[in-house]
């Protein structure tokens, strides 16, 4: 990706192309996940060692078989006793190799269980962390890029845990064991092997460093490509409507070419490593064979000392060890590349797990309540329709009106006991300033209030800050300046889960989950009975079309409600808010996908839903806000007009022009 392309990426995407910080630290962190499988790994290690030693010991049997059995039979003939001894030696070798094969099967099967278990733990940790991340995290990353961490990155980790690490361990034990046996057989030939080994290690280190960098780039580029594909797949209708096929094809070509370059770079260095290592091992084998043959001849003539002589059996065994010595080193280099690829994916996974969670410093909670005979609120477990904020005991420091000798005010401590405050829906903005980016202010010194039971509407051009206000009420984002209070309590003091349970939102872009219609409506309140769900559907005027579905409320919804119309999906979203039965309701273009006839049919139901609740309405269709208690006209982050419908019409300002069609919203 060019520097220009990188500059054009959003901040979260630029971070994905940054050089990973600590590959070693990532590996050590990954090792911690093996803790719960300690005894299984002990068995795996034993099996790997036995399998490696069985291979080495089985090869060592070639020397006695050739020198003690085959050579004598060639010289003296095949007597029954010699033949029986030869078959016995072959059988012992076969048993050794069989033990090694069984151990390989056991450790492969166990490591498969370990790898799937570890990935299950990691996926659980990732998913649990996702639930704690702020909305901002998802706003700055594509869904496909996040999904890539669950698929591509975890799959590369699975291969590393189940295959690469066991094979690497097996190779290490084999190399060490073979080296010991080679020294025992011939120190002189072993010295030649070690020289070639040093050359192989240098090659592996040099090429591994280059391929590792490309593997890290490949994982990042793969995530970006997946994100783009997922985004374009979801927006395929929009693409076709605006004839953007050629545009997105050219954009994808750039992204795909970046992936190709990273993929080609990684595979190029990984691919040339095997042939180079193979050819070096052939050169080593040829040199060893020539020198070994000379040493066998020397042994036959008796012209040299014991260090420079070999038997035929020892030479054949040594040559076999030479092949066995080169093979695990080559395998180690191959697995090294797989491990680098997996660590690149693991680092991206840990970046998600380590992402800064949504901060929640609130201590005020939401609870069900009832009134005693004296009219005081009492917390209760059952749902009564009365909600209360439960504020724990707290200490306040207030001025006494006196001053210290240095002129500072004298403070006193006031202890407040635990108290219950009825949830009424009194929401106020006091001099609120906010921007998604601190350099670009969206709301500038906004002040407004919504008294309990009032319906407050926001109108204005796109980007004026209407939806931002509702995001701030939910604390999807925190304000930079000012204060937002809910029943006199700063919403920063309310625990976020409880704050959001007291609110229900109907968004313009609805989202339905895979499940039945009943389950999707009940998503607003898990404990709602079937009767309450049906009552909520009737309230939203969704009951009629639901009963015309193939299985009524048991009809399955798939693929975000593709088997329903946009208007029907919107009605289910309204029913979901109705079953939640919260004290505050937020309607963000809630009827935008409903035709005027359907809107008229559900207007009564919506009025009943809004009755007694504080309601915030965002609408471009001004007919839906006429009966609001107050209408706020926003422009460039400021409230330029406020009042009810009659007041604003009388002002003959922006709202008047919007309502009469003299000015259109953009």
């Amino acid at each position: 990706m060019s520097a220009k392309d990188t500059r054009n990426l959003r901040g979260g995407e630029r971070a994905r192309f940054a050089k990973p910080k600590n590959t070693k630290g990532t590996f050590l962190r990954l090792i911690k996940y093996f803790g719960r499988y300690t005894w299984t790994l002990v068995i795996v290690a034993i099996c790997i060692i036995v399998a490696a030693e069985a291979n080495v010991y089985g090869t060592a049997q070639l020397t006695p078989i050739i020198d003690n059995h085959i050579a004598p039979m060639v010289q003296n003939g095949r007597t029954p006793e010699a033949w029986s001894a030869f078959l016995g030696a072959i059988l012992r070798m076969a048993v050794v190799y069989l033990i090694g094969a069984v151990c390989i099967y056991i450790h492969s099967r166990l490591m498969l269980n370990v790898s799937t278990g570890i990935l299950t733990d990691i996926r659980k940790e990732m998913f649990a962390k996702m639930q704690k991340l702020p909305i901002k995290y998802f706003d700055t990353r594509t869904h496909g890029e996040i999904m890539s961490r669950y698929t591509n990155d975890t799959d590369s980790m699975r291969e590393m845990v189940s295959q690469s690490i066991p094979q690497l361990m097996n190779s290490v034990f084999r190399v060490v064991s073979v080296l010991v046996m080679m020294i025992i057989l011939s120190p002189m030939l072993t010295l030649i092997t070690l020289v070639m080994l040093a050359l192989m290690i240098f090659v592996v280190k040099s090429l591994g460093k280059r391929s590792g960098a490309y593997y890290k780039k490949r994982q990042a580029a793969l995530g970006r490509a997946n994100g783009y594909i997922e985004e374009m797949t979801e927006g395929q209708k929009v693409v076709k409507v605006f004839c953007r096929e050629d545009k997105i094809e050219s954009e994808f070509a750039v992204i795909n070419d970046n992936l190709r370059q990273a993929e080609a770079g990684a595979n190029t260095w990984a691919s040339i490593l095997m042939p180079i290592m193979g050819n070096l091992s052939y050169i080593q084998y040829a040199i060893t064979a020539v020198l070994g043959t000379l040493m066998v001849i020397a042994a036959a003539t008796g012209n040299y000392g014991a260090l420079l002589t070999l038997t035929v059996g020892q030479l054949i065994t040594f040559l076999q060890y030479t092949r066995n010595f080169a093979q695990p080193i080559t395998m180690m280099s191959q697995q090294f590349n797989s491990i680098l690829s997996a660590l690149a994916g693991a680092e991206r996974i840990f970046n998600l797990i380590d992402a800064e969670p949504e901060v929640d410093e609130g201590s005020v909670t939401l609870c069900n309540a009832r009134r005693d005979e004296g009219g005081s609120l009492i917390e209760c477990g059952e749902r009564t329709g009365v909600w209360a904020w439960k504020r724990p005991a707290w200490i306040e420091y207030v001025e006494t009106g006196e001053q210290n000798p240095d002129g500072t005010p004298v403070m006193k401590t006031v202890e407040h006991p635990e108290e219950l405050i009825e949830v009424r829906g009194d929401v106020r903005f006091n001099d609120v300033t906010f921007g998604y980016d601190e350099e670009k202010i969206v709301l500038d010194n906004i002040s407004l209030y919504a008294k309990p039971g009032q319906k407050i509407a926001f109108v204005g051009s796109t980007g004026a800050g209407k939806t931002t206000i509702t995001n701030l009420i939910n604390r999807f984002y925190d304000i930079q300046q000012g204060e937002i209070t809910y029943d006199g309590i700063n919403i920063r003091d309310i625990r976020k889960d409880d704050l959001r349970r007291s609110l229900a939102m109907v968004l313009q872009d609805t989202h339905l989950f895979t499940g039945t219609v009943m389950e999707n409506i009940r998503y607003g309140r898990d404990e709602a009975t079937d009767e309450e769900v049906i009552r909520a559907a009737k309230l939203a005027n969704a009951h009629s079309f639901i009963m015309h579905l193939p299985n009524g409320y048991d009809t399955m919804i798939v693929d975000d409600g593709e088997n329903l119309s946009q208007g029907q999906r919107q009605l289910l979203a309204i029913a979901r808010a109705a079953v939640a039965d919260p004290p505050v309701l937020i309607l963000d273009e809630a009827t935008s996908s409903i035709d005027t006839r359907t809107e008229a049919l559900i207007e009564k139901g919506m009025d009943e839903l809004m009755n007694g609740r504080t309601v915030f309405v965002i609408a471009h269709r001004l007919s839906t806000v006429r009966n609001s208690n107050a209408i706020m006209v926003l422009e460039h982050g400021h409230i330029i007009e406020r009042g009810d419908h009659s007041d604003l019409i009388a002002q003959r300002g922006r709202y008047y022009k919007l309502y009469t069609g003299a000015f259109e919203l953009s």
Side-chain angles (χ1 to χ4, degrees), residues 234 237-238 506-512 540 542 545 549 557 559-575 588-595 598 602 621:
E234 284 190 353
K237 289 182 180 178
V238 178
V506 181
L507 303 174
Q508 180 178 3
D509 298 323
T510 61
H511 182 80
L512 301 178
F545 91 80
L549 295 175
I557 295 176
D559 197 16
D560 197 15
E562 283 297 319
N563 51 337
L564 301 176
S565 70
Q566 182 63 34
Q568 289 172 334
R569 293 200 292 268
Q570 198 79 37
L571 290 175
L572 291 184
I574 295 172
D588 188 352
E589 294 286 356
T591 58
S592 63
S593 300
I594 301 174
D595 58 82
T598 305
I602 69 169
R621 195 180 297 171

Side-chain angles (χ1 to χ4, degrees), residues 147-164:
M147 285 301 303
S148 180
R149 306 189 187 200
Y150 284 90
T151 54
N152 299 318
D153 294 336
T154 54
D155 190 58
S156 63
M157 288 177 59
R158 177 191 59 77
E159 292 182 3
M160 179 183 73
V161 174
S162 63
Q163 299 178 24
S164 300

Side-chain angles (χ1 to χ4, degrees), residues 30 115-116 118-124 126-127 146-162 219 222 341-350 352-353:
L30 183 61
S115 64
T116 53
I118 289 176
L119 292 187
T120 298
D121 294 339
I122 289 177
R123 286 193 181 102
K124 285 181 180 178
M126 278 197 296
F127 196 80
I146 296 175
M147 285 301 303
S148 180
R149 306 189 187 200
Y150 284 90
T151 54
N152 299 318
D153 294 336
T154 54
D155 190 58
S156 63
M157 288 177 59
R158 177 191 59 77
E159 292 182 3
M160 179 183 73
V161 174
S162 63
Q219 291 299 112
L222 185 59
S341 176
L343 289 179
E347 189 166 55
R348 284 158 44 80
I349 289 173
F350 292 144
L352 186 152
I353 293 175

Side-chain angles (χ1 to χ4, degrees), residues 254-296:
V254 174
I255 296 173
N256 198 36
D257 190 61
N258 292 330
L259 176 59
R260 179 194 61 79
Q261 292 177 16
E263 188 86 46
N267 291 336
T268 296
W269 292 107
S271 298
I272 66 175
L273 184 60
M274 291 293 289
I276 290 176
M277 295 295 292
N279 288 326
L280 288 176
S281 67
Y282 291 144
I283 294 173
Q284 176 195 354
Y285 189 88
I287 294 174
T288 303
V290 171
L291 294 179
T293 301
L294 294 176
M295 294 172 70
V296 170

Side-chain angles (χ1 to χ4, degrees), residues 491-528:
I491 63 171
R492 288 181 180 271
D493 297 330
I494 302 175
R495 199 171 65 180
K496 287 186 177 181
D497 285 350
D498 293 277
L499 171 66
R500 291 164 187 168
R501 279 200 301 131
S502 73
L503 308 167
M505 288 189 71
V506 181
L507 303 174
Q508 180 178 3
D509 298 323
T510 61
H511 182 80
L512 301 178
F513 298 93
T514 299
T516 64
V517 171
M518 180 77 73
E519 291 169 343
N520 269 274
I521 297 177
R522 189 178 279 121
Y523 202 84
R525 179 162 59 91
D526 282 340
E527 65 273 15

Side-chain angles (χ1 to χ4, degrees), residues 432-483:
V432 170
T433 297
F434 170 77
Y436 296 101
D437 184 340
E438 293 185 4
E439 297 179 357
K440 185 178 181 181
I441 299 301
V442 178
L443 296 178
D444 188 7
N445 201 32
I446 291 289
S447 293
L448 60 91
Y449 64 86
K451 293 182 179 179
Q454 284 190 331
K455 178 180 178 182
I456 308 299
F458 300 101
V459 299
S461 304
T462 299
K466 304 184 298 298
T467 299
T468 298
I469 290 177
T470 62
N471 286 338
L472 297 182
I473 296 174
N474 279 277
R475 279 198 73 191
F476 291 149
Y477 295 88
D478 283 327
I479 60 178
Q480 279 90 23
Q481 296 178 22
E483 181 185 55

